[in-house]
Amino acid sequence: MHICKFIQENFLLSVCTLGLAIVGYIGYHAVQWIITKCQQTEKIDQVAQKCLSSDPQSPSNKILLDKVTKLDITEGQVQTGQGEYIVFHNLPNSDKKEVSRETYEQVYRVLNEYAPAAIVNRNIDTAMSECTKRYEIITSKVKEIDPTLAVVFIPRTLYELIFIRKCIREDVKKQKICEELAPRKRTTLELEGEHVPSKKCWHLCYFDDVGDNNNLGVREVAYRLNRTINKALCPKPGGFTHQELAQYAEREIEFLKDHHKNGLATMETPTQDIRSIIDHAPMPGPTINFGGEYTKSPITPMGIRNDTDAELIRNAIAIDCSKAAQGAFFLYRGANFENDAPCLNIDLNIPYSLSYGSSLFAGCLYDGGATAFRYMRNEQNAYAIPVPFDQLHTSPFYIPHTNTIVQIFGEGECFHARTKVWKEAHLQSIKGIKGIINGDQRDHLRSDFTKEGLIAEFQRYKDMALHLK
């Protein structure tokens, strides 16, 4: 009776209390139902993940497969890939003997003759099999020059890093940016009657076109790098493992990290500040471009700011040492991967030539605006597209035939890789070519594809891209 009286006197409060009880009861069972469903969903996700793992064509798994960390790296000593070879004397009792300039000149001719592009141009039908045997062939040819000689593979990225370090140290030692960094169509090395300078300068040539492997300056830099790398790495017969090469690369990465952190402070003198160094530089070059985030034109910052930037380099070395690199060129780019196409997205009838680097640092001496690493560290995506050696002339890409050193010394629109355009396209209507240095030379960008064929073929190569970040 007291309960009924209480309800009558407090009707609104009683209704609210009953409502809360009902909601609590329903809420409890709702939560239990959700938990049960989540447990079931988790099981479904686990099963789905197993299915994705067994289906390499599924979109989710393709992302995993495309990551550089999933690359098939060569086990044991890496003897071929994307890179260059150095030569040394392998003498008994670990005796030391420096490779003479005359001997190296003979070796250099062999290295050029058996570079992948040269092999393809010589005989495309046997190119792939010959390229896979490059180490054995080069070793045999080099021993004909001198039986004590041995060759060792150096990843292209590591080869470039060592060159960049030498350039920076040259400037730091002199306390100024080298005057020879000013780009010229002809260098003193090319003038009739001139000889290789005795001074330790690394800026020995310049190309505003495709370049020349046999240029005197290129040969001199190759010889000096051969000597430098021999001293730094102390090569052994058979070469290095990927792990060893990666450790050597860490030294170069740390050097560039320190240089970026300290910037041009390492070149300060009582009468010269950082701004003065920049203002009086003939060209920015590696010392300034890798030395901070200065943005005054024509400076193009490309230093290693953090471990994310460093990881791009580690991934590139993994590519250099991969089994995939034994049979393919790799083209590097930093951009919005999804939007990349060989025509304008807003008008498919207008051809667009995408710019690629034949390596991370090609162009870093004179053309920071064409250096892939600059964009790879800043843009949303960084990726590398493999182009099989025997597709050098049939792919939708123009790929330069020159070696690592020539590519470092390049500037303009002709020295680096690009996407081609369809055969009906008007060459002067190509978008994406912004430079004034040989920007009007475009004949090498015409393909035999129709517009639809080029777009489809580009997409096929794009689907094979390896993502570095």
Side-chain angles (χ1 to χ4, degrees), residues 4-23:
C4 293
K5 184 177 179 180
F6 176 83
I7 292 174
Q8 289 176 351
E9 294 176 354
N10 302 277
F11 179 79
L12 183 60
L13 176 61
S14 300
V15 170
C16 291
T17 302
L18 179 61
L20 288 173
I22 294 172
V23 170

Side-chain angles (χ1 to χ4, degrees), residues 73 146 154 260 301 312 361 365 389:
I73 307 297
D146 185 330
I154 303 297
H260 184 273
L312 293 171
F361 301 110
L365 221 63
F389 291 146

